[in-house]
Amino acid sequence: MNSEHYKQAALNFFHQGYNCAQSVFAPFAAQVGISEELALRLAAGFGAGVGRMRGMCGAFSGLTLVAGYCKGNLSGQSEDKEIIFSLVRRMAADFTAEFGTLTCRELLHLEADTIEGARPNERTAAYYAARPCERCVAFCATKAAELLNQQA
């Protein structure tokens, strides 16, 4: 799998108006054995820091969905859970090293007391210029492709 291909596919989804989590996860739908439609639906609520509440970065959530496919536990055993938790923690450390935080609110430099509604911002040139979202989507899609390549 060519990570550049998946990075571009993720950015294409993002530029079409899909949220960051959808944009990272949807390009990998076939690889994880689901339809693109299902991938878009499953990731829909994770965008903008989960439901536009500006929590954990949605792009990272999309990456975490791919990680779950690759290493997710199929039992309730602690040892099995530890595998996916360790992987997600390593990916979180990489993301934080690159961007400084996993939190959408902090990535967007929003004040802690800023309350936003559920309605997303309009996608304009100013929107893209003022946010690191494209970089986060590209980074997470590249990491997701690397994870799947390791599975192959």
Side-chain angles (χ1 to χ4, degrees):
M1 283 180 227
N2 179 339
S3 61
E4 184 63 29
H5 164 79
Y6 289 104
K7 179 176 89 171
Q8 287 306 313
L11 289 170
N12 288 340
F13 275 104
F14 192 66
H15 294 145
Q16 290 175 53
Y18 291 100
N19 73 43
C20 41
Q22 290 173 304
S23 298
V24 170
F25 189 53
F28 300 98
Q31 285 70 31
V32 302
I34 62 175
S35 69
E36 185 178 284
E37 178 183 336
L38 182 56
L40 291 168
R41 286 180 184 275
L42 290 173
F46 291 101
V50 182
R52 201 164 186 263
M53 292 185 288
R54 304 302 188 194
M56 184 175 68
C57 172
F60 188 79
S61 294
L63 171 57
T64 302
L65 288 166
V66 174
Y69 169 78
C70 292
K71 298 288 184 181
N73 58 296
L74 295 175
S75 79
Q77 301 302 310
S78 295
E79 297 80 20
D80 292 339
K81 291 183 210 176
E82 184 179 9
I83 293 167
I84 185 63
F85 292 165
S86 294
L87 173 59
V88 171
R89 285 171 175 241
R90 285 192 306 274
M91 294 184 322
D94 291 345
F95 187 94
T96 302
E98 182 72 20
F99 298 104
T101 183
L102 271 175
T103 306
C104 177
R105 176 176 304 282
E106 294 170 4
L107 288 163
L108 298 181
H109 305 290
L110 298 174
E111 297 296 324
D113 59 355
T114 302
I115 298 174
E116 298 178 302
R119 185 172 195 77
N121 297 81
E122 186 176 337
R123 301 278 179 95
T124 63
Y127 170 95
Y128 292 114
R131 305 164 171 258
C133 303
E134 288 173 303
R135 288 182 32 242
C136 294
V137 165
F139 179 90
C140 289
T142 299
K143 291 288 186 186
E146 291 170 3
L147 276 176
L148 285 166
N149 279 335
Q150 292 169 7
Q151 291 291 110

